[in-house]
């Protein structure tokens, strides 16, 4: 079983090196659409602020996510539209509050770490959301949740 894990990790390293090389070359993006690291960081910070501080899910995803974005969190469905619908439900609750702790870029993945609370006075969750960017747009999203966080 160890050899299998090593082979998978080795393969992931090879794929990661390929993705890094593609990103350095523009990742197959049309001319003018490949974002540089600093631009990606700003783009992702703007996305996180629009989504979590301004609570504008539709605007955030329609501006910053590709139409064919893939969602990897089952409660959010699998598409950009289902993600927007779920975020609109959550941000629309009267006691909903989201506090951004950090926003970073790690290669082509934006990471936002935040505390979310849907009802005032109740424990919320600590969330780490990951968004893969390609050609200046979010193309994939997934997250880890730690419920009951204060």
């Amino acid at each position: 079983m160890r050899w299998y894990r090593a082979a998978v990790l080795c393969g992931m390293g090879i794929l990661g090196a390929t993705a890094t090389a593609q990103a350095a070359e523009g990742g197959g993006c049309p001319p003018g659409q490949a974002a540089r690291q600093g631009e990606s960081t700003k783009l992702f910070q703007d996305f996180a602020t629009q989504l979590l501080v301004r609570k504008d899910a539709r605007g955030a995803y329609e501006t910053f996510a590709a139409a064919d974005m893939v969602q990897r969190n089952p409660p959010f469905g699998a598409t950009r539209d289902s993600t927007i619908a779920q975020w609109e439900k959550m941000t629309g609750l009267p006691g909903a509050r989201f506090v951004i702790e950090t926003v970073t870029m790690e290669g082509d993945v934006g990471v936002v770490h935040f505390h979310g609370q849907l009802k005032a006075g109740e424990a919320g969750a600590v969330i780490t959301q990951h968004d893969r960017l390609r050609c200046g747009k979010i193309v994939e999203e997934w997250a880890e949740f730690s419920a009951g966080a204060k």
Side-chain angles (χ1 to χ4, degrees):
M1 196 59 148
R2 257 191 224 160
W3 67 267
Y4 176 75
R5 191 174 346 171
V8 169
L9 292 175
C10 180
M12 289 173 63
I14 291 168
L15 292 174
T18 302
T20 301
Q22 284 180 340
E25 298 169 3
C29 299
Q33 287 190 7
R36 287 175 284 219
Q37 184 67 27
E39 293 169 351
S40 293
T41 300
K42 171 88 169 86
L43 178 145
F44 193 63
Q45 287 172 338
D46 291 348
F47 165 74
T49 299
Q50 187 165 356
L51 175 64
L52 300 169
V53 177
R54 291 190 215 122
K55 298 181 183 179
D56 177 15
R58 181 160 305 280
Y61 282 95
E62 287 181 352
T63 300
F64 298 103
D68 60 349
M69 180 195 97
V70 176
Q71 176 58 256
R72 302 285 184 202
N73 296 319
F76 286 79
T79 67
R80 181 178 82 168
D81 289 338
S82 64
T83 300
I84 291 169
Q86 184 63 30
W87 270 111
E88 286 179 333
K89 286 181 195 172
M90 294 188 319
T91 58
L93 295 170
R97 187 174 87 106
F98 305 93
V99 178
I100 297 173
E101 300 292 329
T102 60
V103 178
T104 59
M105 285 297 298
E106 297 173 7
D108 66 345
V109 177
V111 179
V112 60
H113 184 77
F114 64 98
H115 181 264
Q117 187 176 22
L118 298 179
K119 294 182 182 178
E122 289 188 6
V126 173
I127 299 101
T128 303
Q129 180 171 311
H130 307 269
D131 292 87
R132 184 173 316 283
L133 281 72
R134 185 175 304 123
C135 302
K137 294 285 186 180
I138 296 168
V139 295
E140 180 181 20
E141 183 173 278
W142 66 97
E144 294 100 34
F145 299 82
S146 177
K150 299 259 181 205

